[in-house]
Short mmCIF file of all heavy atoms in Angstrom, two decimals:
data_model
loop_
_atom_site.label_atom_id
_atom_site.label_comp_id
_atom_site.label_asym_id
_atom_site.label_seq_id
_atom_site.Cartn_x
_atom_site.Cartn_y
_atom_site.Cartn_z
N GLY A 89 -29.97 -1.44 -4.57
CA GLY A 89 -29.97 -2.35 -3.47
C GLY A 89 -28.64 -3.02 -3.12
O GLY A 89 -28.45 -3.47 -2.05
N HIS A 90 -27.72 -3.02 -4.07
CA HIS A 90 -26.39 -3.61 -3.82
C HIS A 90 -25.58 -2.70 -2.81
O HIS A 90 -25.89 -1.52 -2.63
CB HIS A 90 -25.52 -3.60 -5.12
CG HIS A 90 -25.90 -4.76 -6.03
ND1 HIS A 90 -25.32 -4.97 -7.18
CD2 HIS A 90 -26.89 -5.71 -5.94
CE1 HIS A 90 -25.78 -6.03 -7.79
NE2 HIS A 90 -26.82 -6.48 -7.03
N ASP A 91 -24.60 -3.33 -2.23
CA ASP A 91 -23.60 -2.65 -1.38
C ASP A 91 -22.35 -2.45 -2.22
O ASP A 91 -21.88 -3.43 -2.85
CB ASP A 91 -23.31 -3.44 -0.16
CG ASP A 91 -24.49 -3.56 0.81
OD1 ASP A 91 -25.49 -2.82 0.61
OD2 ASP A 91 -24.48 -4.46 1.64
N ALA A 92 -21.76 -1.23 -2.23
CA ALA A 92 -20.53 -1.02 -2.95
C ALA A 92 -19.44 -0.50 -2.07
O ALA A 92 -19.59 0.47 -1.32
CB ALA A 92 -20.87 0.07 -4.07
N PRO A 93 -18.23 -1.18 -2.10
CA PRO A 93 -17.14 -0.69 -1.30
C PRO A 93 -16.56 0.61 -1.84
O PRO A 93 -16.56 0.89 -3.06
CB PRO A 93 -16.08 -1.77 -1.53
CG PRO A 93 -16.79 -2.93 -2.17
CD PRO A 93 -17.95 -2.35 -2.87
N LEU A 94 -16.13 1.44 -0.88
CA LEU A 94 -15.53 2.79 -1.19
C LEU A 94 -14.17 2.74 -0.51
O LEU A 94 -14.01 2.45 0.69
CB LEU A 94 -16.40 3.85 -0.59
CG LEU A 94 -15.98 5.28 -0.95
CD1 LEU A 94 -17.27 6.15 -0.83
CD2 LEU A 94 -14.95 5.82 -0.05
N TYR A 95 -13.12 3.06 -1.26
CA TYR A 95 -11.74 2.97 -0.81
C TYR A 95 -11.12 4.36 -0.80
O TYR A 95 -11.41 5.16 -1.69
CB TYR A 95 -10.89 2.02 -1.65
CG TYR A 95 -11.46 0.61 -1.74
CD1 TYR A 95 -11.58 0.00 -3.05
CD2 TYR A 95 -11.90 -0.06 -0.62
CE1 TYR A 95 -12.08 -1.29 -3.08
CE2 TYR A 95 -12.34 -1.34 -0.72
CZ TYR A 95 -12.46 -1.98 -1.92
OH TYR A 95 -12.94 -3.24 -1.99
N VAL A 96 -10.27 4.63 0.19
CA VAL A 96 -9.66 5.96 0.32
C VAL A 96 -8.37 5.84 1.12
O VAL A 96 -8.24 4.96 1.95
CB VAL A 96 -10.67 6.99 0.95
CG1 VAL A 96 -11.03 6.54 2.34
CG2 VAL A 96 -10.09 8.31 0.98
N TRP A 97 -7.38 6.67 0.81
CA TRP A 97 -6.16 6.77 1.62
C TRP A 97 -6.20 8.07 2.37
O TRP A 97 -6.67 9.09 1.85
CB TRP A 97 -4.95 6.80 0.70
CG TRP A 97 -4.70 5.50 0.00
CD1 TRP A 97 -5.34 4.34 0.08
CD2 TRP A 97 -3.62 5.30 -0.96
NE1 TRP A 97 -4.81 3.44 -0.79
CE2 TRP A 97 -3.80 3.96 -1.41
CE3 TRP A 97 -2.64 6.13 -1.50
CZ2 TRP A 97 -2.91 3.48 -2.36
CZ3 TRP A 97 -1.80 5.57 -2.47
CH2 TRP A 97 -1.94 4.27 -2.88
N LEU A 98 -5.88 8.02 3.67
CA LEU A 98 -5.92 9.21 4.51
C LEU A 98 -4.47 9.49 5.09
O LEU A 98 -3.79 8.49 5.49
CB LEU A 98 -6.88 8.99 5.71
CG LEU A 98 -8.33 8.62 5.23
CD1 LEU A 98 -9.13 8.24 6.54
CD2 LEU A 98 -8.93 9.77 4.52
N TYR A 99 -4.07 10.69 5.12
CA TYR A 99 -2.76 11.04 5.67
C TYR A 99 -2.98 12.29 6.63
O TYR A 99 -3.47 13.30 6.12
CB TYR A 99 -1.73 11.35 4.60
CG TYR A 99 -0.37 11.56 5.22
CD1 TYR A 99 0.45 10.53 5.55
CD2 TYR A 99 0.13 12.87 5.49
CE1 TYR A 99 1.68 10.71 6.11
CE2 TYR A 99 1.35 13.08 5.99
CZ TYR A 99 2.14 12.02 6.36
OH TYR A 99 3.38 12.21 6.87
N ASN A 100 -2.66 12.15 7.87
CA ASN A 100 -2.84 13.15 8.85
C ASN A 100 -1.47 13.96 8.98
O ASN A 100 -0.52 13.47 9.52
CB ASN A 100 -3.19 12.56 10.18
CG ASN A 100 -3.40 13.54 11.28
OD1 ASN A 100 -3.25 14.75 11.06
ND2 ASN A 100 -3.78 13.07 12.45
N GLU A 101 -1.54 15.22 8.53
CA GLU A 101 -0.34 16.05 8.62
C GLU A 101 -0.26 16.75 10.02
O GLU A 101 0.71 17.51 10.27
CB GLU A 101 -0.36 17.13 7.53
CG GLU A 101 -0.12 16.54 6.18
CD GLU A 101 0.05 17.65 5.08
OE1 GLU A 101 -0.67 18.61 5.13
OE2 GLU A 101 0.90 17.49 4.24
N GLY A 102 -1.27 16.64 10.83
CA GLY A 102 -1.33 17.30 12.13
C GLY A 102 -0.34 16.61 13.10
O GLY A 102 0.19 15.50 12.92
N ALA A 103 -0.20 17.26 14.30
CA ALA A 103 0.56 16.73 15.36
C ALA A 103 -0.22 15.84 16.31
O ALA A 103 0.41 15.10 17.13
CB ALA A 103 1.18 17.92 16.14
N THR A 104 -1.54 15.82 16.21
CA THR A 104 -2.37 14.93 17.05
C THR A 104 -3.23 14.02 16.14
O THR A 104 -3.52 14.38 15.00
CB THR A 104 -3.26 15.72 17.95
OG1 THR A 104 -4.08 16.62 17.13
CG2 THR A 104 -2.48 16.61 18.92
N ALA A 105 -3.55 12.88 16.70
CA ALA A 105 -4.35 11.88 15.97
C ALA A 105 -5.76 12.51 15.63
O ALA A 105 -6.26 13.36 16.33
CB ALA A 105 -4.50 10.58 16.78
N ASP A 106 -6.34 11.96 14.54
CA ASP A 106 -7.71 12.31 14.22
C ASP A 106 -8.36 11.01 13.95
O ASP A 106 -7.79 9.97 13.95
CB ASP A 106 -7.68 13.20 12.93
CG ASP A 106 -8.99 14.03 12.81
OD1 ASP A 106 -9.99 13.74 13.45
OD2 ASP A 106 -8.96 14.95 12.00
N ARG A 107 -9.69 11.09 13.78
CA ARG A 107 -10.49 9.83 13.43
C ARG A 107 -11.49 10.15 12.37
O ARG A 107 -12.12 11.17 12.34
CB ARG A 107 -11.22 9.41 14.71
CG ARG A 107 -10.32 8.96 15.79
CD ARG A 107 -11.07 8.30 17.03
NE ARG A 107 -12.26 8.99 17.38
CZ ARG A 107 -13.23 8.35 18.05
NH1 ARG A 107 -13.14 7.08 18.37
NH2 ARG A 107 -14.27 9.01 18.45
N LEU A 108 -11.58 9.17 11.44
CA LEU A 108 -12.70 9.19 10.47
C LEU A 108 -13.90 8.62 11.19
O LEU A 108 -13.95 7.46 11.66
CB LEU A 108 -12.37 8.33 9.26
CG LEU A 108 -13.44 8.16 8.25
CD1 LEU A 108 -13.80 9.48 7.56
CD2 LEU A 108 -13.09 7.13 7.16
N LEU A 109 -14.94 9.46 11.37
CA LEU A 109 -16.12 9.06 12.18
C LEU A 109 -17.13 8.40 11.23
O LEU A 109 -17.91 7.56 11.68
CB LEU A 109 -16.74 10.30 12.76
CG LEU A 109 -15.82 11.02 13.78
CD1 LEU A 109 -16.54 12.28 14.30
CD2 LEU A 109 -15.44 10.14 14.91
N GLY A 110 -17.24 8.76 10.01
CA GLY A 110 -18.18 8.20 9.12
C GLY A 110 -18.23 8.96 7.81
O GLY A 110 -17.47 9.83 7.48
N ALA A 111 -19.32 8.67 7.04
CA ALA A 111 -19.54 9.40 5.76
C ALA A 111 -21.09 9.34 5.43
O ALA A 111 -21.81 8.56 6.05
CB ALA A 111 -18.77 8.67 4.64
N GLU A 112 -21.47 10.15 4.48
CA GLU A 112 -22.86 10.12 4.00
C GLU A 112 -22.87 10.36 2.48
O GLU A 112 -21.98 10.96 1.93
CB GLU A 112 -23.67 11.26 4.65
CG GLU A 112 -23.20 11.87 5.92
CD GLU A 112 -24.12 12.98 6.45
OE1 GLU A 112 -24.31 13.93 5.74
OE2 GLU A 112 -24.51 12.78 7.53
N THR A 113 -23.96 9.97 1.85
CA THR A 113 -24.18 10.16 0.47
C THR A 113 -25.69 10.09 0.22
O THR A 113 -26.43 9.46 1.05
CB THR A 113 -23.43 9.17 -0.44
OG1 THR A 113 -23.60 9.53 -1.80
CG2 THR A 113 -23.91 7.76 -0.21
N THR A 114 -26.17 10.62 -0.86
CA THR A 114 -27.57 10.51 -1.18
C THR A 114 -27.82 9.36 -2.08
O THR A 114 -29.00 9.06 -2.26
CB THR A 114 -28.03 11.82 -1.96
OG1 THR A 114 -27.22 12.04 -3.12
CG2 THR A 114 -27.93 13.08 -1.06
N ILE A 115 -26.81 8.64 -2.62
CA ILE A 115 -27.06 7.56 -3.46
C ILE A 115 -27.16 6.18 -2.81
O ILE A 115 -27.36 5.18 -3.48
CB ILE A 115 -25.99 7.45 -4.58
CG1 ILE A 115 -24.58 7.12 -3.99
CG2 ILE A 115 -25.88 8.71 -5.43
CD1 ILE A 115 -23.69 6.45 -4.97
N ALA A 116 -26.98 6.17 -1.43
CA ALA A 116 -27.14 4.89 -0.72
C ALA A 116 -27.92 5.18 0.56
O ALA A 116 -27.95 6.31 1.03
CB ALA A 116 -25.72 4.35 -0.42
N ARG A 117 -28.48 4.05 1.03
CA ARG A 117 -29.23 4.15 2.35
C ARG A 117 -28.37 4.63 3.48
O ARG A 117 -28.73 5.44 4.27
CB ARG A 117 -29.88 2.78 2.61
CG ARG A 117 -30.70 2.63 3.84
CD ARG A 117 -31.33 1.27 4.07
NE ARG A 117 -30.55 0.17 3.55
CZ ARG A 117 -29.61 -0.47 4.19
NH1 ARG A 117 -29.22 -0.06 5.44
NH2 ARG A 117 -28.96 -1.54 3.66
N SER A 118 -27.10 4.10 3.52
CA SER A 118 -26.12 4.56 4.53
C SER A 118 -24.74 4.27 4.04
O SER A 118 -24.49 3.59 3.01
CB SER A 118 -26.38 3.78 5.81
OG SER A 118 -26.12 2.39 5.66
N VAL A 119 -23.72 4.84 4.76
CA VAL A 119 -22.30 4.52 4.55
C VAL A 119 -21.76 4.10 5.86
O VAL A 119 -21.82 4.83 6.85
CB VAL A 119 -21.57 5.81 3.99
CG1 VAL A 119 -20.18 5.45 3.74
CG2 VAL A 119 -22.23 6.43 2.80
N ASP A 120 -21.25 2.85 5.83
CA ASP A 120 -20.75 2.30 7.11
C ASP A 120 -19.23 2.14 6.98
O ASP A 120 -18.72 1.84 5.89
CB ASP A 120 -21.41 0.96 7.40
CG ASP A 120 -22.89 1.08 7.63
OD1 ASP A 120 -23.31 2.06 8.23
OD2 ASP A 120 -23.61 0.16 7.37
N ILE A 121 -18.56 2.18 8.14
CA ILE A 121 -17.18 1.79 8.20
C ILE A 121 -17.14 0.32 8.58
O ILE A 121 -17.78 -0.08 9.53
CB ILE A 121 -16.41 2.56 9.28
CG1 ILE A 121 -16.51 4.10 8.88
CG2 ILE A 121 -14.95 2.09 9.37
CD1 ILE A 121 -15.88 5.02 9.96
N VAL A 122 -16.50 -0.53 7.76
CA VAL A 122 -16.48 -1.99 7.95
C VAL A 122 -15.11 -2.49 8.01
O VAL A 122 -14.16 -1.85 7.62
CB VAL A 122 -17.33 -2.70 6.83
CG1 VAL A 122 -18.79 -2.25 6.82
CG2 VAL A 122 -16.70 -2.45 5.48
N THR A 123 -15.03 -3.78 8.57
CA THR A 123 -13.68 -4.41 8.56
C THR A 123 -13.45 -4.99 7.19
O THR A 123 -14.31 -4.95 6.28
CB THR A 123 -13.76 -5.58 9.56
OG1 THR A 123 -14.72 -6.57 9.12
CG2 THR A 123 -14.10 -5.13 11.00
N GLY A 124 -12.27 -5.63 7.01
CA GLY A 124 -11.94 -6.25 5.74
C GLY A 124 -12.89 -7.41 5.43
O GLY A 124 -13.06 -7.72 4.23
N ASP A 125 -13.60 -7.95 6.43
CA ASP A 125 -14.59 -9.02 6.23
C ASP A 125 -15.95 -8.43 6.00
O ASP A 125 -16.88 -9.22 5.82
CB ASP A 125 -14.59 -10.00 7.46
CG ASP A 125 -13.28 -10.70 7.55
OD1 ASP A 125 -12.64 -10.94 6.60
OD2 ASP A 125 -12.92 -10.95 8.76
N GLY A 126 -16.16 -7.17 6.12
CA GLY A 126 -17.47 -6.57 5.86
C GLY A 126 -18.25 -6.37 7.11
O GLY A 126 -19.45 -5.91 7.08
N ASP A 127 -17.73 -6.72 8.31
CA ASP A 127 -18.44 -6.50 9.54
C ASP A 127 -18.33 -5.03 9.95
O ASP A 127 -17.26 -4.42 9.77
CB ASP A 127 -17.85 -7.39 10.68
CG ASP A 127 -18.00 -8.87 10.34
OD1 ASP A 127 -18.98 -9.26 9.72
OD2 ASP A 127 -17.11 -9.63 10.77
N GLU A 128 -19.45 -4.51 10.59
CA GLU A 128 -19.40 -3.11 11.00
C GLU A 128 -18.29 -2.91 12.11
O GLU A 128 -18.07 -3.86 12.89
CB GLU A 128 -20.78 -2.67 11.51
CG GLU A 128 -21.72 -2.50 10.43
CD GLU A 128 -23.00 -1.76 10.91
OE1 GLU A 128 -22.89 -0.75 11.63
OE2 GLU A 128 -24.05 -2.18 10.45
N ARG A 129 -17.67 -1.74 12.06
CA ARG A 129 -16.78 -1.38 13.11
C ARG A 129 -16.88 0.11 13.41
O ARG A 129 -17.62 0.77 12.77
CB ARG A 129 -15.35 -1.75 12.67
CG ARG A 129 -14.86 -0.96 11.42
CD ARG A 129 -13.43 -0.87 11.23
NE ARG A 129 -12.84 0.09 12.21
CZ ARG A 129 -11.61 0.15 12.60
NH1 ARG A 129 -10.77 -0.68 12.08
NH2 ARG A 129 -11.19 1.01 13.43
N GLY A 130 -16.20 0.55 14.38
CA GLY A 130 -16.26 1.95 14.80
C GLY A 130 -15.36 2.84 13.96
O GLY A 130 -14.89 2.43 12.90
N PRO A 131 -15.15 4.10 14.41
CA PRO A 131 -14.31 5.05 13.73
C PRO A 131 -12.86 4.53 13.45
O PRO A 131 -12.41 3.59 14.12
CB PRO A 131 -14.28 6.22 14.62
CG PRO A 131 -15.55 6.13 15.45
CD PRO A 131 -15.70 4.61 15.62
N VAL A 132 -12.25 5.07 12.45
CA VAL A 132 -10.89 4.68 12.07
C VAL A 132 -9.92 5.74 12.60
O VAL A 132 -9.99 6.96 12.24
CB VAL A 132 -10.74 4.55 10.53
CG1 VAL A 132 -9.31 4.26 10.11
CG2 VAL A 132 -11.67 3.39 10.02
N GLU A 133 -8.97 5.30 13.44
CA GLU A 133 -7.90 6.18 13.89
C GLU A 133 -6.96 6.56 12.75
O GLU A 133 -6.51 5.62 12.01
CB GLU A 133 -7.20 5.47 15.01
CG GLU A 133 -6.05 6.29 15.65
CD GLU A 133 -6.60 7.13 16.87
OE1 GLU A 133 -7.73 6.98 17.21
OE2 GLU A 133 -5.83 7.99 17.29
N VAL A 134 -6.57 7.84 12.66
CA VAL A 134 -5.57 8.28 11.65
C VAL A 134 -4.44 9.02 12.51
O VAL A 134 -4.59 10.18 12.83
CB VAL A 134 -6.15 9.24 10.62
CG1 VAL A 134 -5.10 9.55 9.55
CG2 VAL A 134 -7.44 8.58 9.99
N PRO A 135 -3.39 8.27 12.86
CA PRO A 135 -2.27 8.81 13.64
C PRO A 135 -1.60 9.95 12.89
O PRO A 135 -1.63 10.01 11.68
CB PRO A 135 -1.33 7.63 13.88
CG PRO A 135 -2.11 6.42 13.54
CD PRO A 135 -3.17 6.86 12.53
N PRO A 136 -0.86 10.84 13.63
CA PRO A 136 -0.17 11.90 12.95
C PRO A 136 1.00 11.33 12.09
O PRO A 136 1.59 10.29 12.48
CB PRO A 136 0.43 12.71 14.10
CG PRO A 136 0.16 12.01 15.37
CD PRO A 136 -0.77 10.92 15.07
N GLU A 137 1.20 11.97 10.97
CA GLU A 137 2.32 11.65 10.03
C GLU A 137 2.26 10.21 9.60
O GLU A 137 3.31 9.53 9.45
CB GLU A 137 3.65 11.97 10.67
CG GLU A 137 3.74 13.45 11.10
CD GLU A 137 3.83 14.44 9.95
OE1 GLU A 137 4.34 14.08 8.87
OE2 GLU A 137 3.30 15.50 10.15
#
Side-chain angles (χ1 to χ4, degrees):
H90 282 181
D91 296 344
L94 186 155
Y95 304 131
V96 60
W97 293 355
L98 304 172
Y99 186 81
N100 181 358
E101 291 186 319
T104 57
D106 202 343
R107 294 187 319 156
L108 174 66
L109 300 175
E112 342 180 300
T113 185
T114 59
I115 66 154
R117 182 177 30 84
S118 66
V119 183
D120 295 328
I121 300 173
V122 298
T123 65
D125 296 329
D127 298 327
E128 285 192 44
R129 60 158 288 160
V132 174
E133 181 89 8
V134 186
E137 304 293 325

